[in-house]
Amino acid sequence: MRSAALWTALFGLGASVGAVDPLEAYGNKFFTKSGTQFFIKGEFRDWTAVLCVAYQLVPDDPLIDTEQCKRDFSLMKELGVNTIRVYHVDAKAKHDGCMKALDDAGIYLLVDMDTFGTYIEARDLYWNSTQYERYSQVMDAFHGYDNVLGFFVGNENIATKDDSPAAPFLKAAARDIKAYRDRKGYRSIPIGYSAADIVQLRPMLQDYLTCGGNSSEIVDFFALNSYSWCDPSTFEASSYNKLQEYAKNFPVPIFFSETGCNVPGPRKWDDQDAIFTKPMVNDWSGALIYEWIQEQNNYGLISYGPKVDASQPGENVYDGFTRKGTPTPISPDFDNLKTKWASINPAGVMKQDYDANQVSTRACPTSTAAGWWQVDGNVKLPTLGETLTGTFTSQASATAETSDKPEPTDSGMSGQDQGQGQGNGSDEGSDSNGSDSSETNEDNAASLDRHLAATGASVAGVVLVFALAL
């Protein structure tokens, strides 16, 4: 989910605010300063849980209009929200007003670091100094705010067959941004990835991004965009039971970074019961609801007014929907969600009683014969400035040393004669749980459509609804 916003040189640092305490990732859970487990969703009042919504009013940066932020965050607080996700920000803009409004409402922030120009593309793979500098600028702009929960280095970069070679580049981005964070002496704000829920990819991808035994190279959390639970459904029919299998004792926090299927509607949010009760509550850290504002994809929880003629753009109108004003709840989804969250009390664990050694680091996955997963084992990660020119093979991984303003290298990622990026694995059209090709095609289509919809593309929402209805 990328933005057309232009990024320029760093323009100051965000001011620290302090109504909420910084969170930390420890083992596979988030904890508050007092040692209480923190879920991404749930009740607002006891601070043992977090509720998240995707918040992107305009394509470039929704965190620059302080008055609008105050209006929205006040209603979010009423709903129970204490974390939002923002897909795109302008690192050079001033965010103090909106960040203070978030803080005053007791709301944390998850923010994506990429833009259209810096997105790690699976079809044209490289990780260069321009991307690095733009990502680090986002960290420079937001690291000083205590209510920043984490950063995403990518979102649904790997969503179709032949996309998996992007995984080492995503891992390299996490490695270098974490190194930048630590070198600058910033707070250890978690760095993670948001994945599309694709049956042939999800277990390998989440294992790969956390494998290898080098904590400086793995993501600090893993998140999943999943719309497989469409009311009415069940733990088994929705495939949540499979997702739970993959998440059991996962080595880092794992949560839903997008969820909220609206087919056939209205949404009753019964998936929230599953996420915040056993067995899922033992391993998952919550969920982000998609999304705050109403657009053509019909996922909104609120609107700023009736739909207008998209051919007659006006001030604060995009694709026929007003993106500014007094937020009005959309019935019955808003009220259903508010009622559901009020009834949920996830049982967590205190940090002092939690044994982080119980989590399990999986082996790096091998490539599959069908070609869905092409990264064979613990391959050497690309260094800054490298471009994929060959096939990954299983080698010991190495950490690149980078400066604060690195220059791209001249070398490319050469092809390896001693191995191929193919091996034994599941047949195309099925995963380890026996999912068939029709399920895969549905997942792929829905994921790609959501990817387009969140950028504000007017056609994407229509395609998304169609894909989810299949």
Side-chain angles (χ1 to χ4, degrees):
M1 296 175 180
R2 300 163 284 176
S3 167
L6 297 177
W7 293 58
T8 57
L10 173 64
F11 184 81
L13 300 178
S16 179
V17 289
V20 298
D21 290 325
L23 301 176
E24 67 167 324
Y26 179 70
N28 68 349
K29 304 184 188 305
F30 293 113
F31 288 98
T32 66
K33 187 176 182 180
S34 65
T36 302
Q37 185 179 350
F38 194 74
F39 296 95
I40 299 179
K41 164 149 182 24
E43 290 189 50
F44 178 85
R45 64 178 181 269
D46 61 8
W47 288 106
T48 62
V50 204
L51 159 67
C52 296
V53 251
Y55 182 66
Q56 194 75 29
L57 305 183
V58 292
D60 48 4
D61 190 337
L63 297 178
I64 57 178
D65 186 338
T66 301
E67 294 307 310
Q68 185 60 48
C69 285
K70 289 179 180 178
R71 289 190 289 267
D72 286 334
F73 301 157
S74 176
L75 185 59
M76 287 183 188
K77 182 176 180 178
E78 177 186 327
L79 178 62
V81 173
N82 57 13
T83 303
I84 64 171
R85 176 184 181 181
V86 173
Y87 292 116
H88 310 296
V89 292
D90 183 352
K92 72 180 186 298
K94 289 184 177 294
H95 301 96
D96 287 354
C98 283
M99 291 306 294
K100 185 179 186 303
L102 275 173
D103 192 66
D104 290 344
I107 297 176
Y108 288 88
L109 173 69
L110 286 161
V111 59
D112 291 58
M113 307 181 91
D114 62 81
T115 67
F116 273 116
T118 59
Y119 192 77
I120 297 174
E121 294 280 0
R123 296 296 189 268
D124 186 17
L125 275 174
Y126 53 84
W127 168 241
N128 64 23
S129 60
T130 298
Q131 294 166 309
Y132 174 89
E133 289 176 359
R134 300 286 172 82
Y135 284 35
S136 63
Q137 286 168 8
V138 174
M139 177 167 284
D140 289 336
F142 285 90
H143 79 92
Y145 301 110
D146 286 346
N147 56 337
V148 172
L149 173 56
F151 296 104
F152 293 97
V153 294
N155 181 79
E156 297 192 358
N157 306 66
I158 299 173
T160 63
K161 188 176 181 180
D162 296 326
D163 285 353
S164 62
F169 288 83
L170 293 166
K171 204 168 182 177
R175 171 202 65 198
D176 291 346
I177 294 301
K178 288 173 66 171
Y180 178 85
R181 175 197 66 192
D182 297 344
R183 202 161 48 246
K184 285 286 190 178
Y186 294 162
R187 174 169 63 91
S188 295
I189 303 173
I191 310 297
Y193 176 72
S194 177
D197 183 10
I198 308 300
V199 293
Q200 277 85 358
L201 294 169
R202 62 191 174 212
M204 285 79 75
L205 179 57
Q206 68 185 55
D207 288 353
Y208 175 76
L209 291 179
T210 56
C211 77
N214 189 339
S215 61
S216 68
E217 294 184 342
I218 67 171
V219 295
D220 296 321
F221 63 83
F222 182 86
L224 189 68
N225 298 341
S226 178
Y227 294 78
S228 63
W229 188 303
C230 298
D231 292 322
S233 192
T234 66
F235 185 60
E236 292 77 17
S238 65
S239 80
Y240 271 36
N241 60 330
K242 296 179 183 179
L243 298 183
Q244 171 57 21
E245 286 180 30
Y246 302 142
K248 188 174 182 179
N249 293 326
F250 198 61
V252 299
I254 183 170
F255 58 91
F256 291 90
S257 45
E258 287 181 23
T259 190
C261 174
N262 63 355
V263 177
R267 291 179 285 185
K268 297 181 179 180
W269 309 104
D270 288 344
D271 63 319
Q272 306 301 293
D273 293 317
I275 295 170
F276 294 103
T277 57
K278 292 182 178 181
M280 295 188 78
V281 73
N282 294 334
D283 299 290
W284 292 81
S285 290
L288 296 94
I289 301 303
Y290 187 82
E291 63 178 324
W292 180 243
I293 65 170
Q294 182 72 314
E295 301 180 88
Q296 289 194 15
N297 57 25
N298 204 37
Y299 272 84
L301 293 171
I302 65 94
S303 71
Y304 299 112
K307 186 177 179 181
V308 298
D309 188 349
S311 65
Q312 302 295 323
E315 186 178 7
N316 302 314
V317 175
Y318 296 84
D319 297 327
F321 290 88
T322 303
R323 305 299 181 96
K324 184 176 181 177
T326 301
T328 301
I330 293 177
S331 181
D333 285 11
F334 184 98
D335 291 334
N336 286 350
L337 185 56
K338 182 178 179 179
T339 300
K340 177 65 69 175
W341 282 338
S343 70
I344 292 175
N345 296 283
V349 61
M350 295 298 293
K351 184 180 178 182
Q352 64 186 25
D353 300 323
Y354 171 62
D355 181 10
N357 293 321
Q358 69 184 358
V359 301
S360 58
T361 300
R362 279 72 157 171
C364 293
T366 56
S367 57
T368 59
W372 277 88
W373 188 256
Q374 300 175 25
V375 184
D376 194 18
N378 189 25
V379 301
K380 184 178 183 297
L381 298 184
T383 55
L384 195 66
E386 290 193 64
T387 300
L388 179 62
T389 58
T391 303
F392 292 108
T393 57
S394 183
Q395 298 182 16
S397 184
T399 300
E401 294 294 333
T402 59
S403 64
D404 287 350
K405 292 186 178 180
E407 295 296 329
T409 63
D410 293 330
S411 61
M413 292 206 72
S414 59
Q416 305 292 336
D417 294 335
Q418 62 267 41
Q420 300 295 320
Q422 308 290 331
N424 295 325
S426 61
D427 293 335
E428 182 176 357
S430 65
D431 68 354
S432 59
N433 294 290
S435 300
D436 61 25
S437 60
S438 62
E439 180 184 356
T440 301
N441 291 335
E442 290 174 3
D443 280 351
N444 290 348
S447 177
L448 289 175
D449 292 337
R450 287 191 300 275
H451 185 83
L452 293 171
T455 65
S458 60
V459 179
V462 177
V463 179
L464 170 61
V465 174
F466 174 78
L468 288 171
L470 292 178

